């Protein structure tokens, strides 16, 4: 129900919008559409004109936008038309035409009171914005918008103001979004409306802007359908236009149509509308399908939706939820992993509800499989011991949510036997699932045990698209540990394989943890950042070189000395350098590998995995736990051990140990290492023995491990004395390292001028490297005091806006003082978009991180969303950061400073933004051989021709 006060406000606002014209609730005196913004200030409809000739001069002061009116002034027959972005951003190619390179968007902003605020603009390419014929923002240098905003400060009088955006395409993609916010609270200005002069049909436009979701509402014993209508890009206002739901025949018999009210603002935006439809008991449904349709009407515009109510689904969900509740109140049984069963029930009931909502044809078979799973547990059986492909889930220690996993259990498995089996860990590609990668690897979608695969295959979800780094890496290793505890797996025959994103992850994790894997199969992976098109030809900073190396698996190929490498990429999947970079490193190192280059696109798995064809090679390779020759390279103490060697302190960006052992002596060569330990007795060295370390000789100790450290450039026996404030394993940066454990995001609420921006930035960074990890986003006032003991914290705001930053500020190296960024005791001059992001040990718990993002204003917080994906320990920025939005590296952007703290978390002497002289991003990550034109003796098909760097990879299905 709309309150009388709201009706009064609405009448006054629309009357003001129409310039004082008389108005009734049924119709307006002139044919204008008035839109209210969304709760976060978005507006999703403009008048558009295009394509506009690229070199044409446009006199924006002479434009009077109105639907159907011609532009004139040399713009020929161009006329204004209503354009909408639906529920997302404007697709400008669709608005202006696929071949267009320039176009105009316009509207009138009508204010009932003066506004000091922000126009937030996010646009690809070049853009200029004007208000009332005067430019307020111009960006000639084209760049991608990413997820970032250009904050444009406004000071406008009450009344109507014409806004014109001149947009130019400079490549792909070409999209735009617009928001309007009051600077006082970062909410839509009270009483502000967007007018589209001459526009008709507010109801039809509202339907285009409406995000309508109809849920079947699966509940035990039946269904509780729900309809929800959101307007994420705002909505037209017209009190004569009402929203209603005409339910299914069953619901009509119970109560008839449901009204959701009129298109009215409450108080400044159109709120979401939701309605529960009458419940449907399973006994009232017929087998196999939708019960009529639900019709959602906005005025004379209507859309229909199926409501799927399969009784098998409701029954399976009811039994599963009942069993889950019982499992969580009972102690674990001897025969079943109770926690895994409970997580599986939770994950699969949620999956069934989602499948039912969209009418997926597999929902009933999946419900039957879930029912069988429940029956096995209820009858005292153990569904984790069944043969075939099991659909399970594990509880993630990062967010407590179930993470899906599929397991192939061989037909020969007998829990009573002492036999040990090989295991392949299987990593899916981007936007894919454990189900698809398992089907691809086995060559079948059957859930029966594969006759050719006499062993286990484990396919984790690993937090979806987290790229097997941070939370993704943790989930893979936790899933592996779970499998080793649960099934009789030979730890010396564990291999890792994947496709695309999964191929990259297989090499990345395989090289980081070489003790855990005997073989790596990397299909269509991306193994070097230095061949990416989005870094080609761009300047690099020293820290960017370090970070790009960090995430390039080929940079750490030295660690694969004892791991069989299988690489495959289709010849049509360009550039071939993605896989060549890894093959060339193995060839140069003299390590064993096999390469396959079939004449196919990205879906190379169709050939190399056909009929489970890779199982024999992966399952037969056995690891050597204590090899005589160890080579290990790392850039982080998080990844510091290989066999009988461990690096305990680094003196450079990367450290390398090359160690060989014989019966009575060990020879070790190092680079970038200033402390290590050697377990020479465990490696098989016996009796009186010597250790030769970079040419120095020592007597081997009788007990393991033997510790060594550098002192004045020379090696000395004994561990290195570390300071409590020193960087160490798991607390050493860079910023992204905070994602390698439990993490919570905390936004400040002390300053209303920044609160909403801080929350938005916190949500942006939560999603940045997290995949589907459900990290918490909390207001500073709602944070439990103990959270910093169990979690790292990402704090958004300064001491003036965030309560937790205020408490820690004196102990932090950066802060905000007097409208500028403070670095130590110095103030760094910037502009209103200045800010800083950094990582640091939590002063109240040095074993956990605090990452802090602070800015001098809301504009700086919005600008922070332009930060590139590669980040060091800290970065100080201002408005010049803009071109980095959506990029891996800064490129043409400039910052006030960026880099790493020293070993003791102290700032470097200089924070200057320094570019590497004469370094080309196309340079290889390490010494490599040239691409080979010949057939390799180890090749399964044929070696690739020279790569064509810069071309797009061929598209194919995602296993």
């Amino acid at each position: 129900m709309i309150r009388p006060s709201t009706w009064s406000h609405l009448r006054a606002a629309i009357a003001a919008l129409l310039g004082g014209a008389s108005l009734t609730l049924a119709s307006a005196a002139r044919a204008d559409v008035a839109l209210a913004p969304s709760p976060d200030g978005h507006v999703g409809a403009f008048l558009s004109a295009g394509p506009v000739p690229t070199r044409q001069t446009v006199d924006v002061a002479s434009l009077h936008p109105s639907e159907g009116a011609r532009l004139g002034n040399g713009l020929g027959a161009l006329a204004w038309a209503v354009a909408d972005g639906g529920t997302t951003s404007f697709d400008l190619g669709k608005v202006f035409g696929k071949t267009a390179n320039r176009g105009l968007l316009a509207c009138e902003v009508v204010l009932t009171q003066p506004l000091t605020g922000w126009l937030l603009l996010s646009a690809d390419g070049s853009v200029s914005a004007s208000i009332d014929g005067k430019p307020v923002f111009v960006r000639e240098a084209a760049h991608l918008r990413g997820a970032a905003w250009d904050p444009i400060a406004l000071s406008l009088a009450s009344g109507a103001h014409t806004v014109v955006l001149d947009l130019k395409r400079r490549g792909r993609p070409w999209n735009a979004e617009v928001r309007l916010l009051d600077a006082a609270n970062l909410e839509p200005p009270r009483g502000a409306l967007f007018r589209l002069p001459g526009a008709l049909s507010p109801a039809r436009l509202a339907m285009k802007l409406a995000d309508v979701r109809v849920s079947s509402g699966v509940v035990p014993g039946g269904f509780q359908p729900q309809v929800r209508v959101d307007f994420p890009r705002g909505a037209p206002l017209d009190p004569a236009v009402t929203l209603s739901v005409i339910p299914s025949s069953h619901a009509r018999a119970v109560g008839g149509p449901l009204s959701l009210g009129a298109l009215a603002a409450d108080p400044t935006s159109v709120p979401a509308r939701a309605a529960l439809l009458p419940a449907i008991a399973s006994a009232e449904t017929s087998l196999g399908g939708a019960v009529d349709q639900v019709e959602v009407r906005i005025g004379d515009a209507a859309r229909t939706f199926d409501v799927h109510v399969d009784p098998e689904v409701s029954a399976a969900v009811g039994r599963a939820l009942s069993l889950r509740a019982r499992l969580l109140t009972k102690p674990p049984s001897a025969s079943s992993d109770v926690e895994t069963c409970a997580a599986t029930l939770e994950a699969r009931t949620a999956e069934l509800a989602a499948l039912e909502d969209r009418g997926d044809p597999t929902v009933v078979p999946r419900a039957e499989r879930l029912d069988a799973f429940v029956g096995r547990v209820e009858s005292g059986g153990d569904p984790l011991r069944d043969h075939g492909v099991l659909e399970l889930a594990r509880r993630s220690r990062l967010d407590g949510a179930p993470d899906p996993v599929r397991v192939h259990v061989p037909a020969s498995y007998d829990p009573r036997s002492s036999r040990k089996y090989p295991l392949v860990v299987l990593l899916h590609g981007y936007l894919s699932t454990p189900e698809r990668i398992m089907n691809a690897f086995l060559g079948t979608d059957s859930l029966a045990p594969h006759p050719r695969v006499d062993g286990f295959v484990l396919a984790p979800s690993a937090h979806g698209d987290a790229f097997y780094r941070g939370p993704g890496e943790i989930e893979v290793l936790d899933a592996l540990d779970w499998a080793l505890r649960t099934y009789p797996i030979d730890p010396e025959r564990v291999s890792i394989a994947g496709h695309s994103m999964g191929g990259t992850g297989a090499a990345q994790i395989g090289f980081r943890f070489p003790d855990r894997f005997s073989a790596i199969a990397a299909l269509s992976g991306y193994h070097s950042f230095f061949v990416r098109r989005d870094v080609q030809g761009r300047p690099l900073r020293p820290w960017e070189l370090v970070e790009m190396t960090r995430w390039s698996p080929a940079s750490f190929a030295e660690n694969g000395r004892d791991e069989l490498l299988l690489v495959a990429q289709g010849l049509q999947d360009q550039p071939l350098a993605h896989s060549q970079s890894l093959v060339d490193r193995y060839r140069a190192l003299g390590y064993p590998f096999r390469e396959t280059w079939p004449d196919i696109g990205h879906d190379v798995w169709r050939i190399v995995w056909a009929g489970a064809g890779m199982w024999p090679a992966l399952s037969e390779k056995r690891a050597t736990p204590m090899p005589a020759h160890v080579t290990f390279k790392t850039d982080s103490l998080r990844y510091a051990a290989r066999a009988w060697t461990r690096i305990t302190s680094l003196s450079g960006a990367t450290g390398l140990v090359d160690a060989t052992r014989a019966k009575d002596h060990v020879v070790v060569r190092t680079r970038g290492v200033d402390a290590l330990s050697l377990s020479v007795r465990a490696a098989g060295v016996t009796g009186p023995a010597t250790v030769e370390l970079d040419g120095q000789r020592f007597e081997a100790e009788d007990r393991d491990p033997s510790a060594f450290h550098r002192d004045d450039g020379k090696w000395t026996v004994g561990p290195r004395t570390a300071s409590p404030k020193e960087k160490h394993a798991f607390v050493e940066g860079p910023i992204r390292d905070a994602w390698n454990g439990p993490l919570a995001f905390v936004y400040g609420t002390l300053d209303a001028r920044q609160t909403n921006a801080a929350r938005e930035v916190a949500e942006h960074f939560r999603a940045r490297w997290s995949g589907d990890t459900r990290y918490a986003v909390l207001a500073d006032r709602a944070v439990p005091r103990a959270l910093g003991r169990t979690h790292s914290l990402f704090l958004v705001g300064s001491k003036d806006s965030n309560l937790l930053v205020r408490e820690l500020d004196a102990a932090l190296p950066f802060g905000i003082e007097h409208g500028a960024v403070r670095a130590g005791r110095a103030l760094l001059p910037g502009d209103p978009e200045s800010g800083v992001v950094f990582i640091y040990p939590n002063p109240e718990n040095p074993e956990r991180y605090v990452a802090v993002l602070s800015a001098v204003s809301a504009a700086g917080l919005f600008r922070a969303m332009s930060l590139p994906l590669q980040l060091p320990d800290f970065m100080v920025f201002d408005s010049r950061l803009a071109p980095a939005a959506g990029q891996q590296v800064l490129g043409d952007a400039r910052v006030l400073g960026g880099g790493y703290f020293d070993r003791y978390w102290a700032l470097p002497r200089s924070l200057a933004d320094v570019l590497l002289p004469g370094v080309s991003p196309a340079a290889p990550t390490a010494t490599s051989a040239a691409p080979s034109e010949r057939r390799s003796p180890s090749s399964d098909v044929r070696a690739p021709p020279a790569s064509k760097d810069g071309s797009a990879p061929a598209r194919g299905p995602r296993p």
Side-chain angles (χ1 to χ4, degrees), residues 93-107:
K94 183 181 295 184
V95 171
F96 302 124
K98 292 183 178 180
T99 61
N101 291 314
R102 184 185 179 192
L104 304 175
L105 295 179
C107 72

Side-chain angles (χ1 to χ4, degrees), residues 388-425:
V389 177
L390 309 182
E391 303 167 291
L392 304 174
R394 294 182 49 264
R395 185 78 58 191
S396 171
R397 63 185 168 99
L398 294 180
D399 61 4
D403 204 58
V405 62
R406 285 208 167 197
V407 181
H408 174 271
V409 179
S412 63
Y413 166 59
D414 183 347
R416 298 165 298 183
S417 171
S418 61
R419 179 184 175 187
K420 297 286 187 178
Y421 289 85
L423 168 70
V424 174
V425 179

Side-chain angles (χ1 to χ4, degrees), residues 285-489:
T285 67
S286 59
L287 292 177
V291 176
D292 275 336
Q293 293 176 318
V294 166
E295 183 177 270
V296 177
R297 300 186 66 87
I298 302 179
D300 60 357
R303 292 172 61 187
T304 57
F305 302 85
D306 289 338
V307 178
H308 297 270
V309 286
D310 295 288
E312 299 93 333
V313 174
S314 176
V317 167
R319 288 189 66 190
L321 292 178
S322 176
L323 174 60
R324 177 180 176 275
R326 297 197 304 273
L327 287 176
L328 294 179
T329 59
K330 292 182 178 181
S333 68
S335 61
S336 180
D337 185 336
V338 170
E339 183 59 34
T340 298
C341 288
T344 297
L345 294 169
E346 183 178 335
R348 291 178 64 182
T349 52
E351 176 194 46
L352 279 185
L355 294 174
E356 182 76 337
D357 285 347
R358 62 176 183 259
D360 191 293
T362 68
V363 68
V364 172
R366 289 175 188 267
E368 293 171 348
R369 295 202 295 267
L370 176 57
D371 212 40
F373 183 94
V374 172
R376 287 278 287 144
V377 177
E378 289 181 334
S379 64
D382 188 349
L384 274 64
R385 311 295 169 183
D386 291 342
H387 299 148
V389 177
L390 309 182
E391 303 167 291
L392 304 174
R394 294 182 49 264
R395 185 78 58 191
S396 171
R397 63 185 168 99
L398 294 180
D399 61 4
D403 204 58
V405 62
R406 285 208 167 197
V407 181
H408 174 271
V409 179
S412 63
Y413 166 59
D414 183 347
R416 298 165 298 183
S417 171
S418 61
R419 179 184 175 187
K420 297 286 187 178
Y421 289 85
L423 168 70
V424 174
V425 179
L426 203 56
L427 307 184
H428 64 77
Y430 186 70
L431 297 179
S432 190
T433 62
E435 176 184 9
R436 292 179 185 174
I437 194 69
M438 183 72 79
N439 292 350
F441 184 78
L442 297 179
T444 175
D445 60 1
S446 170
L447 297 181
H450 196 292
R452 295 183 59 189
V453 179
D454 191 22
F456 289 85
V457 183
L458 175 75
S461 173
H463 298 289
D465 297 324
F467 286 86
Y468 306 107
R469 292 158 181 164
E473 176 187 287
I474 288 172
E475 198 63 41
V476 169
L477 297 177
D478 284 356
L480 172 56
D481 289 338
W482 169 83
L484 291 170
R485 293 193 305 269
T486 306
Y487 300 108
I489 293 168

Side-chain angles (χ1 to χ4, degrees), residues 426-664:
L426 203 56
L427 307 184
H428 64 77
Y430 186 70
L431 297 179
S432 190
T433 62
E435 176 184 9
R436 292 179 185 174
I437 194 69
M438 183 72 79
N439 292 350
F441 184 78
L442 297 179
T444 175
D445 60 1
S446 170
L447 297 181
H450 196 292
R452 295 183 59 189
V453 179
D454 191 22
F456 289 85
V457 183
L458 175 75
S461 173
H463 298 289
D465 297 324
F467 286 86
Y468 306 107
R469 292 158 181 164
E473 176 187 287
I474 288 172
E475 198 63 41
V476 169
L477 297 177
D478 284 356
L480 172 56
D481 289 338
W482 169 83
L484 291 170
R485 293 193 305 269
T486 306
Y487 300 108
I489 293 168
D490 182 351
E492 294 182 8
R493 286 193 294 164
V494 175
S495 56
I496 189 167
H499 174 266
S500 193
M501 178 184 80
T504 311
Q508 183 84 12
I509 294 176
F511 292 152
R512 291 298 195 182
F513 300 94
D515 285 346
R516 308 204 66 174
F517 303 101
S518 59
I520 299 168
L523 277 62
S524 304
Y526 309 99
H527 302 296
S528 175
F529 263 84
F530 297 88
V531 302
R532 292 178 60 108
R533 289 181 299 169
D534 55 1
V535 301
Q536 293 296 305
R538 300 196 173 200
L540 289 180
R541 284 80 176 163
W543 62 263
E544 287 176 326
L545 189 66
V546 171
E547 293 307 312
M548 290 168 63
T549 300
R550 186 189 306 277
W551 303 115
S552 298
S555 299
F556 299 92
E558 287 88 342
N559 300 348
R561 172 179 292 280
D562 299 298
E563 295 173 297
L564 171 64
L565 177 67
L566 308 173
V567 176
Q569 182 169 330
L571 293 175
Q572 300 174 35
D573 188 11
Q574 302 286 341
L576 299 178
H578 283 309
S579 291
Q580 279 182 265
S581 60
L582 185 52
V583 167
D584 290 347
R585 288 296 299 125
Y586 254 59
R587 181 178 288 117
L589 291 164
Y591 292 175
F593 71 95
R594 301 178 189 175
E595 56 182 330
T596 302
W597 303 90
D599 193 8
I600 195 173
H602 197 56
D603 51 343
V604 69
W605 53 271
R606 292 184 182 276
I607 291 179
V608 298
W609 282 352
M614 193 171 278
W615 169 259
L618 293 176
S619 61
E620 292 167 5
K621 179 67 169 70
R622 182 177 292 277
T624 304
M626 290 291 172
H629 189 175
V630 171
T631 303
F632 189 69
K633 180 181 179 181
T634 187
D635 58 357
S636 169
L637 296 178
R638 181 181 292 275
Y639 316 102
R642 172 68 176 111
W644 44 278
T645 66
R646 174 177 292 275
I647 298 171
T648 55
S649 182
L650 295 170
S651 59
T654 60
L656 184 140
V657 167
D658 188 86
T660 57
R661 53 100 174 149
K663 182 177 180 181
D664 61 354

